[in-house]
Amino acid sequence: MSIEQKDPKVLTQAAATQRRYRTLAVVKQEAITRVEKPLEDSVFVWPHLLVREFFAATAVTVMVTLLSLVIDAPLQAPATPSTTPNPAKAPWYFLGLQELLHYFKPTTAGVLVPGLTLAALAVLPYVDRNPSRAYADRKVAIVTFTMFLVFWAVITLAGSFFRGPGWVWIWPWQHVYFDL
């Protein structure tokens, strides 16, 4: 006897006892309530969002282009190997390391301090095993990151604004030796 020839009551009972599985968990179909979102609560990506992002990107591009035409940013003279500018400063993102080289030996300032800093930041999630995402509960992570950020900001700003000829300490209001 085929399935079509069976009693319809038996077919509905078989369908009711059939289990349905979801991707994230095993859940009976009856336990899931479907909530229909009204159409007015939805924002479509195309064309609404992408058109706005396109116009925002175009406006930023036009503003940056106009600023670059108005503000003059001249280059310095071409570098020559026979003359070195005084003070010879690294780019701003390496000025913190150059400042550390003033206080420590090159092995310590160039290898140990950055290496131990990166290792400490890599180990931090294993030390602070707090599962909460609330800011008030993540004091160890926030304090550690704040100390790291303040330390690197202070040594970068010291190398940028407080170092003059011969890498001696100067106050920024005496002479400005800052180049971008």
Side-chain angles (χ1 to χ4, degrees), residues 97-98 100-115:
L97 292 175
Q98 189 173 8
L100 284 177
L101 281 170
H102 179 75
Y103 297 111
F104 300 108
K105 295 179 181 177
T107 305
T108 305
V111 178
L112 291 179
V113 172

PDB file of all heavy atoms in Angstrom, residues 97-98 100-115:
ATOM      1  N   LEU A  97      59.683  54.792  19.711  1.00  0.00           N
ATOM      2  CA  LEU A  97      60.857  53.906  19.785  1.00  0.00           C
ATOM      3  C   LEU A  97      62.154  54.706  19.781  1.00  0.00           C
ATOM      4  O   LEU A  97      63.118  54.341  20.470  1.00  0.00           O
ATOM      5  CB  LEU A  97      60.835  52.923  18.616  1.00  0.00           C
ATOM      6  CG  LEU A  97      59.718  51.891  18.638  1.00  0.00           C
ATOM      7  CD1 LEU A  97      59.733  51.064  17.363  1.00  0.00           C
ATOM      8  CD2 LEU A  97      59.851  51.001  19.848  1.00  0.00           C
ATOM      9  N   GLN A  98      62.199  55.798  19.010  1.00  0.00           N
ATOM     10  CA  GLN A  98      63.399  56.626  19.004  1.00  0.00           C
ATOM     11  C   GLN A  98      63.596  57.281  20.366  1.00  0.00           C
ATOM     12  O   GLN A  98      64.727  57.412  20.835  1.00  0.00           O
ATOM     13  CB  GLN A  98      63.296  57.680  17.909  1.00  0.00           C
ATOM     14  CG  GLN A  98      64.578  58.436  17.680  1.00  0.00           C
ATOM     15  CD  GLN A  98      64.489  59.358  16.489  1.00  0.00           C
ATOM     16  OE1 GLN A  98      63.433  59.556  15.902  1.00  0.00           O
ATOM     17  NE2 GLN A  98      65.614  59.959  16.146  1.00  0.00           N
ATOM     18  N   LEU A 100      62.655  55.915  23.207  1.00  0.00           N
ATOM     19  CA  LEU A 100      63.154  54.843  24.072  1.00  0.00           C
ATOM     20  C   LEU A 100      64.640  54.597  23.848  1.00  0.00           C
ATOM     21  O   LEU A 100      65.367  54.255  24.785  1.00  0.00           O
ATOM     22  CB  LEU A 100      62.377  53.547  23.810  1.00  0.00           C
ATOM     23  CG  LEU A 100      60.973  53.465  24.387  1.00  0.00           C
ATOM     24  CD1 LEU A 100      60.321  52.154  23.987  1.00  0.00           C
ATOM     25  CD2 LEU A 100      60.991  53.606  25.891  1.00  0.00           C
ATOM     26  N   LEU A 101      65.105  54.759  22.611  1.00  0.00           N
ATOM     27  CA  LEU A 101      66.542  54.588  22.331  1.00  0.00           C
ATOM     28  C   LEU A 101      67.397  55.619  23.065  1.00  0.00           C
ATOM     29  O   LEU A 101      68.576  55.383  23.316  1.00  0.00           O
ATOM     30  CB  LEU A 101      66.811  54.688  20.826  1.00  0.00           C
ATOM     31  CG  LEU A 101      66.497  53.449  20.013  1.00  0.00           C
ATOM     32  CD1 LEU A 101      66.581  53.757  18.528  1.00  0.00           C
ATOM     33  CD2 LEU A 101      67.451  52.325  20.378  1.00  0.00           C
ATOM     34  N   HIS A 102      66.815  56.759  23.398  1.00  0.00           N
ATOM     35  CA  HIS A 102      67.554  57.768  24.145  1.00  0.00           C
ATOM     36  C   HIS A 102      67.825  57.301  25.576  1.00  0.00           C
ATOM     37  O   HIS A 102      68.839  57.664  26.161  1.00  0.00           O
ATOM     38  CB  HIS A 102      66.769  59.084  24.142  1.00  0.00           C
ATOM     39  CG  HIS A 102      67.437  60.185  24.899  1.00  0.00           C
ATOM     40  ND1 HIS A 102      68.532  60.855  24.407  1.00  0.00           N
ATOM     41  CD2 HIS A 102      67.176  60.733  26.115  1.00  0.00           C
ATOM     42  CE1 HIS A 102      68.913  61.765  25.287  1.00  0.00           C
ATOM     43  NE2 HIS A 102      68.096  61.715  26.325  1.00  0.00           N
ATOM     44  N   TYR A 103      66.913  56.497  26.136  1.00  0.00           N
ATOM     45  CA  TYR A 103      67.025  56.102  27.533  1.00  0.00           C
ATOM     46  C   TYR A 103      67.616  54.710  27.733  1.00  0.00           C
ATOM     47  O   TYR A 103      68.175  54.427  28.776  1.00  0.00           O
ATOM     48  CB  TYR A 103      65.639  56.141  28.201  1.00  0.00           C
ATOM     49  CG  TYR A 103      65.039  57.522  28.231  1.00  0.00           C
ATOM     50  CD1 TYR A 103      63.934  57.830  27.456  1.00  0.00           C
ATOM     51  CD2 TYR A 103      65.592  58.519  29.021  1.00  0.00           C
ATOM     52  CE1 TYR A 103      63.382  59.091  27.474  1.00  0.00           C
ATOM     53  CE2 TYR A 103      65.044  59.790  29.051  1.00  0.00           C
ATOM     54  CZ  TYR A 103      63.945  60.069  28.271  1.00  0.00           C
ATOM     55  OH  TYR A 103      63.410  61.326  28.287  1.00  0.00           O
ATOM     56  N   PHE A 104      67.456  53.805  26.771  1.00  0.00           N
ATOM     57  CA  PHE A 104      67.889  52.418  26.936  1.00  0.00           C
ATOM     58  C   PHE A 104      68.863  52.019  25.839  1.00  0.00           C
ATOM     59  O   PHE A 104      69.007  52.712  24.836  1.00  0.00           O
ATOM     60  CB  PHE A 104      66.678  51.465  26.892  1.00  0.00           C
ATOM     61  CG  PHE A 104      65.655  51.727  27.955  1.00  0.00           C
ATOM     62  CD1 PHE A 104      64.430  52.283  27.624  1.00  0.00           C
ATOM     63  CD2 PHE A 104      65.908  51.416  29.278  1.00  0.00           C
ATOM     64  CE1 PHE A 104      63.475  52.519  28.589  1.00  0.00           C
ATOM     65  CE2 PHE A 104      64.962  51.649  30.255  1.00  0.00           C
ATOM     66  CZ  PHE A 104      63.743  52.208  29.911  1.00  0.00           C
ATOM     67  N   LYS A 105      69.491  50.854  26.035  1.00  0.00           N
ATOM     68  CA  LYS A 105      70.354  50.297  24.997  1.00  0.00           C
ATOM     69  C   LYS A 105      69.488  49.869  23.813  1.00  0.00           C
ATOM     70  O   LYS A 105      68.302  49.597  23.969  1.00  0.00           O
ATOM     71  CB  LYS A 105      71.116  49.095  25.554  1.00  0.00           C
ATOM     72  CG  LYS A 105      72.078  49.456  26.649  1.00  0.00           C
ATOM     73  CD  LYS A 105      72.785  48.226  27.164  1.00  0.00           C
ATOM     74  CE  LYS A 105      73.739  48.594  28.280  1.00  0.00           C
ATOM     75  NZ  LYS A 105      74.393  47.431  28.870  1.00  0.00           N
ATOM     76  N   PRO A 106      70.080  49.781  22.602  1.00  0.00           N
ATOM     77  CA  PRO A 106      69.274  49.429  21.423  1.00  0.00           C
ATOM     78  C   PRO A 106      68.559  48.081  21.530  1.00  0.00           C
ATOM     79  O   PRO A 106      67.433  47.942  21.062  1.00  0.00           O
ATOM     80  CB  PRO A 106      70.293  49.411  20.279  1.00  0.00           C
ATOM     81  CG  PRO A 106      71.375  50.309  20.730  1.00  0.00           C
ATOM     82  CD  PRO A 106      71.438  50.177  22.219  1.00  0.00           C
ATOM     83  N   THR A 107      69.182  47.088  22.154  1.00  0.00           N
ATOM     84  CA  THR A 107      68.519  45.792  22.294  1.00  0.00           C
ATOM     85  C   THR A 107      67.288  45.903  23.181  1.00  0.00           C
ATOM     86  O   THR A 107      66.232  45.337  22.877  1.00  0.00           O
ATOM     87  CB  THR A 107      69.496  44.762  22.897  1.00  0.00           C
ATOM     88  OG1 THR A 107      70.669  44.727  22.090  1.00  0.00           O
ATOM     89  CG2 THR A 107      68.869  43.390  22.963  1.00  0.00           C
ATOM     90  N   THR A 108      67.408  46.668  24.247  1.00  0.00           N
ATOM     91  CA  THR A 108      66.285  46.828  25.157  1.00  0.00           C
ATOM     92  C   THR A 108      65.185  47.664  24.510  1.00  0.00           C
ATOM     93  O   THR A 108      64.010  47.285  24.541  1.00  0.00           O
ATOM     94  CB  THR A 108      66.744  47.494  26.456  1.00  0.00           C
ATOM     95  OG1 THR A 108      67.809  46.740  27.016  1.00  0.00           O
ATOM     96  CG2 THR A 108      65.616  47.598  27.462  1.00  0.00           C
ATOM     97  N   ALA A 109      65.547  48.800  23.907  1.00  0.00           N
ATOM     98  CA  ALA A 109      64.547  49.722  23.370  1.00  0.00           C
ATOM     99  C   ALA A 109      63.931  49.222  22.066  1.00  0.00           C
ATOM    100  O   ALA A 109      62.761  49.488  21.799  1.00  0.00           O
ATOM    101  CB  ALA A 109      65.173  51.090  23.134  1.00  0.00           C
ATOM    102  N   GLY A 110      64.698  48.513  21.255  1.00  0.00           N
ATOM    103  CA  GLY A 110      64.196  48.115  19.945  1.00  0.00           C
ATOM    104  C   GLY A 110      63.618  46.721  19.881  1.00  0.00           C
ATOM    105  O   GLY A 110      62.831  46.411  18.989  1.00  0.00           O
ATOM    106  N   VAL A 111      63.989  45.846  20.846  1.00  0.00           N
ATOM    107  CA  VAL A 111      63.523  44.466  20.787  1.00  0.00           C
ATOM    108  C   VAL A 111      62.720  44.092  22.024  1.00  0.00           C
ATOM    109  O   VAL A 111      61.583  43.624  21.912  1.00  0.00           O
ATOM    110  CB  VAL A 111      64.727  43.502  20.615  1.00  0.00           C
ATOM    111  CG1 VAL A 111      64.263  42.063  20.607  1.00  0.00           C
ATOM    112  CG2 VAL A 111      65.499  43.821  19.354  1.00  0.00           C
ATOM    113  N   LEU A 112      63.297  44.294  23.199  1.00  0.00           N
ATOM    114  CA  LEU A 112      62.655  43.805  24.419  1.00  0.00           C
ATOM    115  C   LEU A 112      61.385  44.560  24.781  1.00  0.00           C
ATOM    116  O   LEU A 112      60.354  43.941  25.061  1.00  0.00           O
ATOM    117  CB  LEU A 112      63.649  43.836  25.583  1.00  0.00           C
ATOM    118  CG  LEU A 112      64.800  42.831  25.499  1.00  0.00           C
ATOM    119  CD1 LEU A 112      65.724  42.987  26.687  1.00  0.00           C
ATOM    120  CD2 LEU A 112      64.257  41.425  25.427  1.00  0.00           C
ATOM    121  N   VAL A 113      61.431  45.885  24.806  1.00  0.00           N
ATOM    122  CA  VAL A 113      60.250  46.650  25.213  1.00  0.00           C
ATOM    123  C   VAL A 113      59.083  46.452  24.241  1.00  0.00           C
ATOM    124  O   VAL A 113      57.976  46.105  24.670  1.00  0.00           O
ATOM    125  CB  VAL A 113      60.593  48.150  25.399  1.00  0.00           C
ATOM    126  CG1 VAL A 113      59.338  48.970  25.624  1.00  0.00           C
ATOM    127  CG2 VAL A 113      61.561  48.328  26.552  1.00  0.00           C
ATOM    128  N   PRO A 114      59.282  46.592  22.910  1.00  0.00           N
ATOM    129  CA  PRO A 114      58.146  46.335  22.017  1.00  0.00           C
ATOM    130  C   PRO A 114      57.705  44.877  22.033  1.00  0.00           C
ATOM    131  O   PRO A 114      56.508  44.584  21.992  1.00  0.00           O
ATOM    132  CB  PRO A 114      58.649  46.730  20.629  1.00  0.00           C
ATOM    133  CG  PRO A 114      59.822  47.576  20.861  1.00  0.00           C
ATOM    134  CD  PRO A 114      60.407  47.160  22.161  1.00  0.00           C
ATOM    135  N   GLY A 115      58.653  43.945  22.106  1.00  0.00           N
ATOM    136  CA  GLY A 115      58.292  42.526  22.130  1.00  0.00           C
ATOM    137  C   GLY A 115      57.522  42.136  23.373  1.00  0.00           C
ATOM    138  O   GLY A 115      56.516  41.424  23.300  1.00  0.00           O
TER     139      GLY A 115
END
